[in-house]
């Protein structure tokens, strides 16, 4: 019994010793591993190791955001958020300041542009009042390019010019250096004299006394691409508006065509005021005006299926043969004088030129207002001119006309004379050549007139109205 107990005690002691040895071996392994980790940590760079980072929480937060192994405490995270919030408020303040500076600069630029526009207007008046020899001169003449009266002139684009005549032809010209024009094509196809021209997309539209409108491809084949036969009398004027083509005729109708459906007539309106002689776009109110034999102006709304919005009866006692837009206003001319109407103020009459502005009937009225009349442009001088069968072209100071009317309370009490006039070098007062058509170039630096001899006169000198004040170049 005693021997057996002794044997069991020996086994217990041996087992206990083995456990003690195992624990000692594990402790040695742990000590060795700890030493190895300490050595690795000591060999790492300060950013890679666990050493204390003494940089600001903001800088450490940036490293953290970039994926660098940096540990932030909760206090440091709060400090970082406060720093970011402060920085955001500073940046928002800077943005508000920059926006205010931008607004101030915009207002300053607008004031300067208005001042420059007024200076240019005053300059144009002064130059024109000095007479034609001081400003305007004839630069070139397309001598007898047509066999009969030149009835229409159109700048198709920057390089192409088209002229039309009662000789039933259209001549296409290409602009060269220094405003020299070279004939590149002659188009024929109308059975009667041509009265008007207009651009219609990439095509040229021509209206004729044969009651038709022809469409010409002057950028390609120089041939007729189609004929519109909707009117029953002579086509007197054509106009492109918002992709559509509009025409008026001696039959009294205004008709509208859509190029997208083969120039089918999509609207046909009877003006009921006798013959219709002219059509004009009033860009400031997006309406179309037509002038009639009765002396009335009819106002049409393209946005409302071209319904007649209003009829201005007896604008002039005679037939209204010419309309043009001038700085958002509508100028309507009969054979003797013209009146200025305000589309934005119930079409009130603001001014009227002197009676018998020309010794013979007015044949055309034009302005440099080739695009949006409501948009101020400091680079543009707004000129208004009338041409006549007396062989002259006269320029008008519309501002002075309106100011006098405002002062007197009547648009007809003060009827202003023109400020200047031009005539061809071969002008003979006893037998003048009728000026039957006229147009300003798109940049308003040239004016072209067509006369009854079949010649086209090119007048320059308008650039002096622009170059007298130095202007920065606009891209």
């Amino acid at each position: 019994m005693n021997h057996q107990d002794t044997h069991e005690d020996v086994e217990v002691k041996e087992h206990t010793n083995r456990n003690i040895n195992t624990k000692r071996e594990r402790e040695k392994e742990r000590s060795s591993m700890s030493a190895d980790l300490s050595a690795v940590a000591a060999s790492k760079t300060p950013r890679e190791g666990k050493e204390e980072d003494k940089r600001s929480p903001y800088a450490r937060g940036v490293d953290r955001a970039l994926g660098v192994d940096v540990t932030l405490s909760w206090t440091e995270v709060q400090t970082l958020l406060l720093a970011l919030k402060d920085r955001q408020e500073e940046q928002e303040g800077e943005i508000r300041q920059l926006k205010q500076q931008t607004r101030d600069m915009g207002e300053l630029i607008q004031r300067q542009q208005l001042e420059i526009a007024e200076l240019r207007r005053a300059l144009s008046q002064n130059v024109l009042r000095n007479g034609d020899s001081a400003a305007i001169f004839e630069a070139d003449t397309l001598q007898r390019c047509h066999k009969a009266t030149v009835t229409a002139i159109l700048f198709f684009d920057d390089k192409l010019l088209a002229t039309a005549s009662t000789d039933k032809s259209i001549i296409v010209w290409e602009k060269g250096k220094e405003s020299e024009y070279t004939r590149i094509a002659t188009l024929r196809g109308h059975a009667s004299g041509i009265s008007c021209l207009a651009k219609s997309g990439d095509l040229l539209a021509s209206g004729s006394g044969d009651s038709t409108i022809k469409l010409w491809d002057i950028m390609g084949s120089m041939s007729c691409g189609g004929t519109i036969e909707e009117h029953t009398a002579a086509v007197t004027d054509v106009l492109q508006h918002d992709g559509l083509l509009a025409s008026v005729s001696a039959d009294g109708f205004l008709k509208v065509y859509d190029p997208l459906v083969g120039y089918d007539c999509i609207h046909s309106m009877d003006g009921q005021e006798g013959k219709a002689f002219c059509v004009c776009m009033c860009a400031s109110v997006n309406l179309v005006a037509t002038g009639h034999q009765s002396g009335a102006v009819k106002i049409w709304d393209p946005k409302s299926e071209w319904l007649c919005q209003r009829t201005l009866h007896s604008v002039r006692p005679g037939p209204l043969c010419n309309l043009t837009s001038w700085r958002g206003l509508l100028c309507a001319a009969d054979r003797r004088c013209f009146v200025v109407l305000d589309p934005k103020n119930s079409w009130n009459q603001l001014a009227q030129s002197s009676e018998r502005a020309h010794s013979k009937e007015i044949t055309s009225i034009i302005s440099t207002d080739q695009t949006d009349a409501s948009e101020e442009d400091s680079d543009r001088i707004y000129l208004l001119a009338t041409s006549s069968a007396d062989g002259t072209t006269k320029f008008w100071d519309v501002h002075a006309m309106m100011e006098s009317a405002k002062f007197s309370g009547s648009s007809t009490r003060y009827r202003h004379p023109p400020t200047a006039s031009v005539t061809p070098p071969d002008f003979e007062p006893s037998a003048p050549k009728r000026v039957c058509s006229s147009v300003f170039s798109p940049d308003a630096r040239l004016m072209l007139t067509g006369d009854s001899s079949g010649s086209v006169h090119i007048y320059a000198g308008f650039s002096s109205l622009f170059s007298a004040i130095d202007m920065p170049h606009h891209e």
Side-chain angles (χ1 to χ4, degrees):
M1 184 72 178
N2 291 336
H3 178 73
Q4 185 176 359
D5 291 340
T6 302
H7 181 70
E8 291 178 353
D9 291 339
V10 171
E11 289 181 353
V12 170
K13 288 180 181 180
E14 289 178 353
H15 180 72
T16 302
N17 290 334
R18 283 197 300 271
N19 289 338
I20 292 173
N21 292 335
T22 301
K23 289 180 180 180
R24 287 176 179 174
E25 289 177 357
R26 289 178 179 174
E27 288 177 358
K28 288 181 180 180
E29 290 177 357
R30 289 172 183 169
S31 298
S32 177
M33 185 178 296
S34 178
D36 292 341
L37 290 174
S38 298
V40 171
S43 64
K44 289 184 179 180
T45 60
R47 181 173 294 185
E48 293 174 338
K50 301 299 181 180
E51 295 181 3
E52 183 181 359
D53 192 341
K54 297 182 180 181
R55 294 175 301 156
S56 68
Y58 185 83
R60 297 173 66 197
V62 171
D63 281 352
R64 184 70 174 176
L66 295 176
V68 181
D69 187 12
V70 176
T71 302
L72 296 177
S73 65
W74 173 247
T75 302
E76 289 175 330
V77 170
Q78 290 180 319
T79 305
L80 174 61
L81 292 176
L82 291 175
L84 291 174
K85 185 177 180 181
D86 293 341
R87 181 56 181 162
Q88 181 183 3
E89 291 177 353
E90 292 177 4
Q91 290 178 342
E92 289 176 350
E94 293 173 357
I95 291 172
R96 286 193 296 270
Q97 185 177 3
L98 289 174
K99 287 182 177 179
Q100 184 61 44
Q101 291 176 354
T102 302
R103 285 193 294 269
D104 295 341
M105 185 62 68
E107 293 175 358
L108 177 61
I109 291 173
Q110 186 176 9
R111 288 195 300 270
Q112 290 178 341
Q113 287 178 338
L114 291 175
E115 292 173 359
I116 290 173
E118 291 303 315
L119 286 173
R120 288 180 176 278
R121 182 183 64 81
L123 175 66
S124 66
Q125 294 171 0
N126 291 334
V127 173
L128 289 175
R129 284 170 181 161
N130 288 332
D132 52 344
S133 61
I136 306 166
F137 60 92
E138 187 172 29
D140 194 10
T141 301
L142 307 177
Q143 194 71 32
R144 298 187 183 278
C145 54
H146 287 277
K147 296 179 181 180
T149 301
V150 178
T151 53
I153 307 172
L154 174 72
F155 283 91
F156 189 82
D157 56 25
D158 294 338
K159 292 185 177 181
L160 295 180
L161 173 74
T163 59
S165 169
T166 54
D167 65 6
K168 310 176 188 178
S169 72
I170 300 171
I171 298 179
V172 182
W173 308 81
E174 186 174 33
K175 183 179 179 181
K177 296 180 179 179
E178 298 180 357
S179 301
E180 295 180 354
Y181 288 89
T182 304
R183 183 195 304 230
I184 60 174
T186 300
L187 311 177
R188 290 185 173 88
H190 281 290
S192 184
I194 299 169
S195 57
C196 50
L197 296 172
K199 185 176 181 179
S200 180
D202 293 333
L203 301 177
L204 174 69
S206 61
S208 169
D210 62 11
S211 74
T212 68
I213 300 171
K214 287 189 177 294
L215 304 166
W216 307 88
D217 179 15
I218 68 170
M219 299 184 69
S221 63
M222 292 292 177
S223 61
C224 180
T227 302
I228 301 173
E229 299 177 348
E230 290 288 339
H231 288 288
T232 59
V235 177
T236 52
D237 203 3
V238 284
L239 170 74
Q240 178 180 239
H241 170 67
D242 196 23
L244 302 176
L245 182 67
S247 66
V248 291
S249 165
D251 62 13
F253 277 80
L254 166 66
K255 294 180 181 287
V256 183
Y257 317 94
D258 188 352
L260 298 180
V261 290
Y263 284 92
D264 286 346
C265 182
I266 58 175
H267 298 289
S268 180
M269 292 73 65
D270 186 355
Q272 299 179 346
E273 294 290 342
K275 297 178 180 180
F277 291 113
C278 49
V279 58
C280 176
M281 178 64 197
C282 302
S284 60
V285 290
N286 197 27
L287 297 173
V288 172
T290 54
H292 295 264
Q293 186 179 19
S294 65
V297 173
K298 297 189 78 70
I299 309 301
W300 310 87
D301 187 358
K303 292 184 177 179
S304 300
E305 299 295 323
W306 290 79
L307 294 177
C308 181
Q309 187 189 74
R310 185 169 182 175
T311 300
L312 310 177
H313 295 285
S314 302
V315 173
R316 288 293 300 158
L320 287 177
C321 299
N322 296 279
L323 296 172
T324 192
S325 178
W326 184 87
R327 299 192 76 174
L329 306 176
L330 181 67
C331 300
D334 65 1
R335 297 182 184 278
R336 295 189 300 173
C337 72
F338 69 89
V339 296
V340 182
L341 306 174
D342 186 359
K344 293 184 177 181
N345 188 19
S346 300
W347 299 92
N348 289 339
Q349 182 173 316
L350 301 180
Q352 179 179 317
S353 69
S354 57
E355 294 282 351
R356 295 294 179 184
H358 294 268
S359 61
K360 295 185 177 182
E361 69 270 20
I362 295 174
T363 54
S364 71
I365 181 169
I366 60 172
S367 77
T368 52
D369 205 357
Q370 302 289 339
T371 54
D372 186 355
S374 63
E375 183 178 353
E376 295 290 341
D377 186 350
S378 61
D379 275 345
R380 172 174 294 172
I381 291 178
Y382 296 85
L383 302 176
L384 183 73
T386 55
S387 297
S388 168
D390 64 10
T392 66
T393 298
K394 298 186 177 183
F395 299 87
W396 301 86
D397 186 351
V398 183
H399 276 285
M401 293 167 60
M402 291 191 297
E403 287 299 321
S404 297
K406 187 186 299 182
F407 177 76
S408 65
S410 170
S411 63
T412 59
R413 181 176 178 181
Y414 290 97
R415 299 177 180 178
H416 279 255
T419 59
S421 64
V422 293
T423 56
D426 59 352
F427 177 72
E428 297 179 5
S430 59
K433 298 173 183 176
R434 294 169 55 95
V435 179
C436 299
S437 56
S438 54
V439 67
F440 283 108
S441 63
D443 61 5
R445 284 166 167 76
L446 294 175
M447 182 184 71
L448 279 65
T449 63
D451 64 24
S452 56
S453 71
S455 300
V456 175
H457 301 272
I458 303 175
Y459 293 93
F462 298 98
S463 58
S464 64
L465 307 182
F466 294 82
S467 60
I469 299 178
D470 186 25
M471 285 290 293
H473 177 69
H474 295 282
E475 295 294 341

